[in-house]
């Protein structure tokens, strides 16, 4: 006996197999556009899905057990019902429309800050066409007698990012004014997205031939260059050496599980829309496996490139640290220049420390640890705009490398945004927010224009703190919640047996046993555990964020400060509203129906 909840009228809400075959034979009969070819569809999904797994082993395990099953579920249900994220769940049961609404809200919120990152990338790209690069040296102060002290106290790349690019304030509550260079970059970013998505997959499907393929070419160039740099293999070894202490931490697995949702674009609604444009008998199982393999291998590929550069940067810093310590020892003890070298530094330090411990202690020698340097700055915005830009400045012909790097990031960002915009515009059409007579071009234009004005929030002096807030909360709990509701809806409301028959009709055979076990038990359990542990850990921790504050005692390091009390309301809007969209919509619909019956 299988548990399937009552779902009256389902057969009337979904097309029959005969209807699907008829729609597939009649060109544009179902009113939905089509992919030009299979490669276009796969490339679009690849561009939308590609992400970098921060914790390789947990990430790859959860990619198989959590990501693949949910990916096939979204592919198959979109292909079977021929609708977007709102239309699919409304067809299964009108009370489930909230799943589509939640997906749309997450796509919108994530798209807002994603395109802000694209705007920052455009700023760096525009400024890469000069030699030397502007973030390689500190600017002169107002009277021209020296360099700006804030830059001298920190570093050129930090100063350029926080002060020149973003003009960061010292707190999220200190908004300052609009930083107009970023406003112009936001305008350029949203204009590019609007042009690429103006006719849905008709235009974005063409753009992916560039945005999905070019990053692989640039990554290959960077890999070849990275492997020739001193210390690159230290970084790669660090990447592939398991850290047992990290692996036993629950937070590592929580972060990896959330990263899988980002890497695949699960719960955003874009994949459901993309798959609905496929032929009815497209092999969606094969697509899910291909995309999973590509995503996993690309994560390893991109991580290898990244850590080769991080290894180079860490080795540079390690060598500088060691050389400064050696110079201090040589000058203090009046030793010949070649008396202490990097190879015998530890032995010399121990010898001098034994004979003159007080003198050595007074030198305040820095601790030079390559492992610590390798683990610094490998996440978030710091990776692209600080770590990589600093490493690029050390390379010969740095402007060329800078242009290549930011062109690659631009392509990756745009590819993801194509799916985000699809995940917003299609649900808006399904919800009849706009008149049905309005063409897709108008809807896309209005959506991008509204998003541009909302993004003014990120162009304030406190903009980077808002980007961090959106990054931490808009795509965490809501995505996990949407994923859990999707699996419950298909397995227990649509019916897993019916779903298996649908897949058999489309592909020619039922899904193998792996998919059956994953859909019924493994994937929902993993998502539920991750969701519960995430909420528990968040409740126990004090909410803090990092600020760039030249007046802080910790400067030039970023200072950790608590969020103001009012930020809890913002967090509820970002994470709570999308997460509660499913039960709230169902409750509102139930009350509406009850009231309607009462009045009749």
């Amino acid at each position: 006996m299988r548990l399937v909840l009552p779902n009256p009228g389902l057969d009337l809400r979904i097309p029959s197999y005969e209807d699907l075959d008829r729609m597939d034979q009649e060109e544009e009969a179902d009113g939905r556009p089509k992919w030009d070819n299979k490669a276009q569809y796969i490339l679009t999904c690849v561009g939308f899905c590609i992400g970098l797994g921060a914790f390789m082993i947990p990430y790859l395990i959860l990619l198989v057990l959590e990501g693949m099953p949910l990916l096939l579920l979204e592919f198959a249900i979109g292909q079977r019902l021929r609708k977007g994220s709102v239309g699919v769940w409304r067809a299964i049961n009108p009370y489930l429309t909230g799943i589509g609404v939640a997906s749309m809200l997450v796509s919108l919120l994530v798209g807002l800050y994603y395109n802000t990152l694209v705007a920052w990338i455009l700023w760096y790209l525009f400024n890469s066409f000069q030699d030397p690069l502007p973030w390689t040296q500190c600017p002169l102060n107002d009277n021209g007698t020296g360099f700006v002290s804030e830059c001298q106290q920190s570093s050129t790349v930090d100063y350029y990012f926080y002060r020149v690019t973003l003009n960061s304030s010292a707190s999220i509550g200190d908004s300052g004014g609009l930083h107009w260079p970023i406003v112009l970059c936001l305008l350029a970013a949203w204009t590019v997205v609007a042009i690429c998505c103006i006719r849905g997959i008709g235009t974005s499907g063409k753009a992916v031939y560039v945005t999905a393929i070019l990053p692989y070419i640039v990554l290959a160039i960077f890999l070849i260059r990275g492997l020739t740099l001193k210390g690159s293999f230290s970084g790669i070894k660090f990447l592939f050496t398991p850290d047992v202490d990290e692996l036993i931490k629950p937070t590592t697995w929580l972060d990896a599980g959330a990263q899988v949702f980002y890497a695949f674009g699960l719960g955003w609604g874009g994949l459901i829309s993309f798959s609905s444009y496929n032929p009815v008998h497209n092999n969606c199982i094969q697509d899910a496996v291909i995309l999973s393999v590509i995503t996993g291998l690309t994560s390893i590929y991109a991580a290898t490139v990244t850590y080769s550069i991080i290894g180079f940067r860490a080795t540079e810093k390690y060598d500088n640290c060691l050389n400064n310590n050696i110079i201090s020892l040589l000058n203090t003890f009046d030793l010949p220049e070649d008396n202490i070298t990097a190879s015998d530094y530890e032995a010399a330090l121990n010898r001098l420390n034994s004979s003159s411990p007080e003198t050595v202690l007074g030198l305040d020698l820095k601790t030079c640890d390559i492992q610590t340097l390798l683990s610094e700055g490998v996440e978030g915005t710091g990776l692209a705009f600080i770590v990589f830009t600093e490493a690029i400045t050390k390379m010969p012909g740095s402007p060329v490398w800078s242009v290549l790097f930011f062109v690659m990031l631009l392509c990756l960002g745009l590819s993801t945004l194509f799916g985000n915009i699809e995940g917003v515009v299609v649900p808006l059409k399904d919800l009849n927010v706009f008149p049905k007579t309005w063409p897709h071009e108008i809807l896309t234009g209005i959506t991008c224009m509204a998003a541009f004005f909302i993004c003014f929030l990120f162009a304030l002096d406190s903009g980077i703190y808002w980007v961090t807030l959106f990054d931490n909360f808009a795509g965490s709990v809501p995505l996990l919640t949407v994923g859990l509701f999707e699996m419950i809806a298909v397995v227990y409301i649509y019916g897993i047996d019916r779903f298996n028959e649908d897949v058999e009709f489309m592909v020619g055979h039922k899904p193998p046993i792996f998919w059956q076990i994953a859909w019924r038990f493994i994937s929902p359990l993993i998502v539920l555990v991750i969701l519960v542990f995430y909420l528990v850990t968040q409740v126990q921790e004090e909410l803090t964020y990092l600020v760039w504050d030249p007046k802080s005692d910790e400067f030039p390091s970023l200072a950790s400060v608590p969020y103001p009390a009012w930020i809890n309301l913002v967090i509820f809007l970002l994470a709570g509203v999308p997460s509660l969209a499913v039960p709230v919509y169902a409750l509102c619909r139930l009350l509406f129906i009850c009231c309607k019956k009462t009045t009749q």
Side-chain angles (χ1 to χ4, degrees):
M1 181 178 177
R2 289 175 172 79
L3 176 61
V4 178
L5 300 177
N7 191 7
L10 175 60
D11 290 323
L12 299 176
R13 293 191 298 268
I14 64 176
S16 66
Y17 294 160
E18 292 77 13
D19 292 335
L20 289 176
D21 282 329
R22 177 176 49 79
M23 287 190 295
D24 206 30
Q25 292 170 3
E26 297 175 8
E27 181 71 14
E28 303 287 338
D30 57 356
R32 301 186 72 77
K34 310 288 184 185
W35 297 106
D36 291 347
N37 50 64
K38 185 65 172 281
Q40 190 183 70
Y41 166 64
I42 292 294
L43 284 174
T44 300
C45 291
V46 165
F48 184 44
C49 292
I50 289 306
L52 174 62
F55 311 97
M56 193 56 65
I57 293 175
Y59 169 76
L60 292 176
I61 292 173
L62 293 179
L63 183 144
V64 173
L65 298 179
E66 172 195 62
M68 281 179 60
L70 193 50
L71 179 67
L72 176 55
L73 185 144
E74 291 197 356
F75 277 175
I77 204 69
Q79 186 173 310
R80 166 65 177 90
L81 299 183
R82 323 299 294 162
K83 298 176 184 296
S85 58
V86 165
V88 158
W89 306 115
R90 184 164 56 190
I92 291 175
N93 192 297
Y95 285 95
L96 296 176
T97 305
I99 298 178
V101 175
S103 294
M104 178 187 70
L105 292 174
V106 174
S107 276
L108 175 62
L109 294 173
V110 173
L112 290 174
Y113 82 82
Y114 258 38
N115 214 23
T116 302
L117 299 182
V118 170
W120 297 354
I121 290 166
L122 286 174
W123 168 261
Y124 271 83
L125 179 60
F126 296 153
N127 285 281
S128 294
F129 293 95
Q130 48 187 305
D131 191 14
L133 293 169
W135 51 85
T136 58
Q137 51 195 11
C138 288
L140 294 173
N141 56 25
D142 292 336
N143 55 22
T145 57
F147 295 110
V148 174
S149 60
E150 183 180 350
C151 180
Q152 285 188 305
Q153 293 174 46
S154 53
S155 70
T156 56
V157 290
D158 285 323
Y159 177 82
Y160 189 84
F161 179 62
Y162 289 107
R163 181 58 56 218
V164 178
T165 303
L166 304 178
N167 193 32
S168 297
S169 62
S171 75
I172 195 170
D174 182 9
S175 299
L178 286 172
H179 192 45
W180 288 104
I182 296 300
V183 173
L184 292 177
C185 289
L186 280 168
L187 177 61
W190 281 111
T191 301
V192 171
V193 170
I195 292 172
C196 291
C197 298
I198 195 70
R199 297 184 64 187
I201 64 169
T203 47
S204 65
K206 305 292 190 299
V208 293
Y209 288 117
V210 175
T211 60
I213 295 174
L214 186 61
Y216 286 93
I217 299 173
V218 177
L219 278 174
I221 296 171
F222 265 98
L223 180 61
I224 295 169
R225 178 64 181 123
L227 293 176
T228 64
L229 297 171
K230 181 183 178 182
S232 61
F233 287 98
S234 298
I236 295 172
K237 181 182 177 182
F238 180 80
L239 169 65
F240 290 105
T241 302
D243 187 338
V244 178
D245 292 333
E246 283 294 325
L247 287 176
I248 62 176
K249 290 181 181 178
T251 51
T252 300
W253 292 84
L254 300 183
D255 292 338
Q259 179 64 32
V260 168
F261 272 79
Y262 270 95
F264 276 120
L266 299 170
W268 294 3
L271 294 175
I272 293 177
S273 293
F274 287 155
S275 64
S276 71
Y277 304 133
N278 276 326
V280 172
H281 295 286
N282 173 64
N283 192 335
C284 52
I285 295 180
Q286 185 185 72
D287 293 345
V289 173
I290 290 173
L291 198 60
S292 299
V293 171
I294 291 175
T295 302
L297 292 178
T298 301
S299 294
I300 297 172
Y301 178 40
T304 303
V305 176
T306 301
Y307 275 84
S308 70
I309 302 297
I310 288 174
F312 163 67
R313 171 182 177 267
T315 302
E316 281 264 322
K317 287 197 166 190
Y318 177 78
D319 289 345
N320 289 337
C321 175
L322 217 57
N323 289 335
N324 290 335
N325 285 354
I326 290 172
I327 291 172
S328 296
L329 291 172
L330 292 175
N331 291 338
T332 301
F333 291 96
D334 196 24
L335 298 172
E337 186 174 338
D338 296 331
N339 191 267
I340 304 175
T341 62
S343 59
D344 64 0
Y345 167 75
E346 290 294 337
L349 179 62
N350 291 333
R351 186 175 65 252
L352 293 172
N353 198 28
S354 299
S355 59
S356 308
E358 293 182 0
T359 305
V360 172
L361 186 64
L363 291 177
D364 191 26
L365 298 176
K366 303 295 181 185
T367 302
C368 306
D369 182 22
I370 188 69
Q371 295 299 314
T372 301
L373 293 170
L374 284 169
S375 62
E376 283 181 353
V378 296
E379 295 179 16
T381 54
L383 178 61
F385 299 104
I386 295 176
V387 175
F388 257 83
T389 52
E390 182 182 14
I392 286 171
T393 60
K394 311 291 184 182
M395 298 181 187
S398 54
V400 175
W401 296 108
S402 183
V403 169
L404 279 174
F405 177 66
F406 287 108
V407 165
M408 178 188 70
L409 290 186
L410 178 64
C411 290
L412 290 172
L414 290 176
S415 295
T416 300
L417 281 161
F418 295 160
N420 284 111
I421 297 301
E422 184 76 15
V424 174
V425 174
V426 173
L428 287 176
K429 290 173 68 175
D430 291 343
L431 290 168
N432 298 321
V433 174
F434 300 108
K436 290 185 177 181
T437 55
W438 286 17
H440 190 92
E441 292 85 348
I442 297 295
L443 303 185
T444 303
I446 291 175
T447 302
C448 291
M449 185 183 299
F452 165 65
F453 286 114
I454 296 173
C455 281
F456 276 21
L457 175 69
F458 304 126
L460 297 171
D461 291 350
S462 58
I464 186 173
Y465 310 130
W466 285 103
V467 168
T468 302
L469 190 71
F470 272 62
D471 185 28
N472 288 339
F473 295 100
S476 54
V477 172
L479 282 178
L480 293 168
T481 305
V482 169
L484 184 61
F485 277 123
E486 285 183 353
M487 285 183 282
I488 292 172
V490 170
V491 175
Y492 298 111
I493 299 176
Y494 186 74
I496 191 65
D497 290 336
R498 179 192 291 267
F499 186 62
N500 285 332
E501 291 171 3
D502 290 345
V503 173
E504 184 178 14
F505 165 75
M506 293 185 293
V507 177
H509 60 85
K510 286 187 177 181
I513 189 66
F514 164 76
W515 305 102
Q516 305 293 335
I517 296 174
W519 286 327
R520 285 179 167 90
F521 310 111
I522 299 176
S523 298
L525 185 62
I526 288 175
V527 173
L528 182 61
V529 169
I530 290 174
L531 184 59
V532 170
F533 271 89
Y534 183 89
L535 292 173
V536 169
T537 53
Q538 285 295 320
V539 168
Q540 292 176 342
E541 293 178 358
E542 181 187 16
L543 292 177
T544 60
Y545 67 112
L546 298 174
V547 298
W548 173 264
D549 185 5
K551 297 179 181 178
S552 167
D553 294 336
E554 300 174 39
F555 192 79
S557 297
L558 298 177
S560 179
V561 298
Y563 274 113
W566 54 265
I567 213 70
N568 290 309
L569 175 60
V570 180
I571 291 173
F572 175 76
L573 294 175
L574 292 177
V577 170
S579 299
L580 295 174
V582 181
V584 169
Y585 185 94
L587 182 61
C588 290
R589 178 176 174 81
L590 180 62
L591 292 174
F592 174 77
I593 292 175
C594 291
C595 292
K596 191 175 181 181
K597 287 181 179 178
T598 303
T599 55
Q600 290 176 349

